[in-house]
Amino acid sequence: MTPDVRDGARGRPSRGAPARALDGTAERPGDQAVGETAWTRVLSLVRQADEVALACHVSPDGDALGSMLAVGLVLRSMGKRVVASFGDRTFSVPRLLRFLPGQDLLVPPADYPAEPALMITFDSSTLDRLGLLAVNAGKAREVVVMDHHPSNTGFGTIGIIDPGAAATAVLAEQLIYRLGGGLDRDVATCLYAGLVTDTGSFRHTSTTASAHEMAARLVATGLRTDEIARELWDRSPFGYLKVLGAALERVVLEDGLIWTYVTRLDRAAYGLPYAEVEAIIDVVRRTDEAEVAVVLKEDDLGAWQVSTRSKGAVDMAAICAALGGGGHRSAAGFTSHESVEATMDNIRALLPRKA
């Protein structure tokens, strides 16, 4: 499949008053990188479809699952048959995201259409990130890729890809408005979860004026931002503290790099699912003496899922892309099937040398 050629034209404004940049000019989601040719094709396909199959990346975060469910809810309200999934072998919504509305749209990969007429993917930069559903995407008639990762490989037949967007949720909101849909509290809750997840609660450099303006539109629906924040960041089982302690016991600081790892056995001792250790990187990366933070997490199949963070001086997206992954400059990752030592050696070899 080849990606759609983007004409670079500016996107249409969302329904209602358009967002405004600080200089007073229109600043709309999806404007920067997605041309009208791509948007027109997507809208035509969705309107003609009886069923739309939605998918997001494996081990979904708030942006992936939230964007997918928001669009799914709107499509269902338009009378479309909607099926949504993600391609994990163990199909389970991460505990932190179980508050999101619309989860009755979800089906396990085994029940997903084998050859979808129209498939829309969310927050997946590569075909491999779809996991088990990569096979379904390969057999789909049309695959719309909605993503904001600079490392996106351009898979699919139509690309709605904007590396300048703060989150895939920004593009999901644009799709909803272009389809003539609106925001209710359930849809806004899903989109808000995506926006705050990928902006780090509006702390990351991806936080723009338009990101705050989008947040204002979502909050205006009546959603409870305090409850969403508590679900996403202020809850964890007791076992997480024990596993975090084990990871911090192993932490190593070396020449601007801090790293540690979490094994399957660490988690098994407390019955802790893999998804529960995602936040360890956010503890480790705070270290003043380190520019780069790395956490290796052994998944249930024995592979190492590697999370990396940078404070801005090092492009972790480029490094992770060289190792088969991708992401953003300051937050990226990849999968390693080598040992912890070999994986770290591979990362060190790609880090810039200090003068």
Side-chain angles (χ1 to χ4, degrees):
M1 288 181 269
T2 56
D4 181 62
V5 177
R6 304 177 189 91
D7 60 17
R10 293 182 67 79
R12 287 189 328 190
S14 59
R15 198 169 68 177
R20 295 278 163 181
L22 294 178
D23 62 2
T25 59
E27 182 182 350
R28 298 183 291 270
D31 277 356
Q32 290 72 29
V34 183
E36 285 302 312
T37 300
W39 277 119
T40 299
R41 285 185 60 192
V42 172
L43 297 179
S44 176
L45 288 169
V46 171
R47 287 168 179 151
Q48 293 173 23
D50 293 321
E51 180 179 73
V52 184
L54 309 179
C56 66
H57 64 68
V58 294
S59 301
D61 58 8
D63 193 25
L65 190 61
S67 298
M68 179 174 71
L69 292 178
V71 171
L73 286 168
V74 171
L75 291 177
R76 182 167 64 182
S77 74
M78 295 171 58
K80 305 292 182 182
R81 293 196 307 274
V82 181
V83 60
S85 189
F86 46 91
D88 287 275
R89 293 185 182 278
T90 301
F91 184 76
S92 177
V93 173
R95 181 187 57 81
L96 297 177
L97 300 177
R98 290 177 187 167
F99 72 96
L100 290 178
Q103 293 187 40
D104 56 314
L105 296 170
L106 295 173
V107 300
D111 295 335
Y112 196 81
E115 300 180 9
L118 176 58
M119 183 173 179
I120 305 177
T121 72
F122 296 84
D123 209 41
S124 293
S125 57
T126 66
L127 187 62
D128 288 347
R129 288 285 284 154
L130 295 176
L132 297 176
L133 296 181
V135 174
N136 307 67
K139 295 179 179 179
R141 187 181 309 158
E142 297 280 0
V143 178
V144 177
V145 176
M146 304 196 73
D147 188 30
H148 72 126
H149 291 96
S151 57
N152 191 284
T153 58
F155 74 98
T157 59
I158 307 174
I160 303 296
I161 301 165
D162 184 1
T168 297
V170 171
L171 300 172
E173 186 201 30
Q174 180 74 346
L175 176 61
I176 289 168
Y177 281 134
R178 285 173 175 265
L179 287 169
L183 301 177
D184 61 19
R185 187 162 63 179
D186 283 352
V187 172
T189 295
C190 293
L191 292 175
Y192 188 82
L195 184 63
V196 296
T197 295
D198 267 33
T199 59
S201 265
F202 308 105
R203 292 175 298 169
H204 297 167
T205 55
S206 59
T207 304
T208 60
S210 61
H212 283 293
E213 288 159 353
M214 177 177 171
R217 291 192 295 275
L218 302 177
V219 173
T221 65
L223 59 83
R224 291 291 302 272
T225 58
D226 58 331
E227 292 178 358
I228 294 173
R230 184 160 53 250
E231 293 289 345
L232 290 174
W233 293 294
D234 294 339
R235 295 183 58 197
S236 60
F238 175 73
Y240 169 76
L241 298 178
K242 303 296 285 187
V243 172
L244 173 63
L248 295 180
E249 280 290 325
R250 301 187 185 111
V251 74
V252 177
L253 177 65
E254 49 181 72
D255 196 26
L257 166 68
I258 188 165
W259 65 275
T260 189
Y261 62 93
V262 177
T263 69
R264 281 185 293 179
L265 291 178
D266 292 334
R267 295 189 291 107
Y270 300 97
L272 201 65
Y274 169 81
E276 297 287 350
V277 299
E278 291 283 1
I280 290 177
I281 187 69
D282 293 318
V283 177
V284 175
R285 69 178 176 83
R286 298 174 188 171
T287 306
D288 286 338
E289 296 87 347
E291 166 64 26
V292 172
V294 177
V295 175
L296 295 82
K297 301 155 296 178
E298 189 179 17
D299 65 23
D300 293 336
L301 299 177
W304 293 100
Q305 304 300 329
V306 185
S307 295
T308 75
R309 298 290 186 271
S310 162
K311 292 175 181 172
V314 178
D315 186 352
M316 297 312 300
I319 290 175
C320 290
L323 296 171
H328 304 282
R329 180 180 181 87
S330 298
F334 66 96
T335 300
S336 174
H337 297 281
E338 300 188 65
S339 66
V340 169
E341 294 77 12
T343 301
M344 288 307 305
D345 284 344
N346 293 337
I347 294 172
R348 292 187 193 96
L350 294 170
L351 289 173
R353 302 283 183 182
K354 289 190 175 182

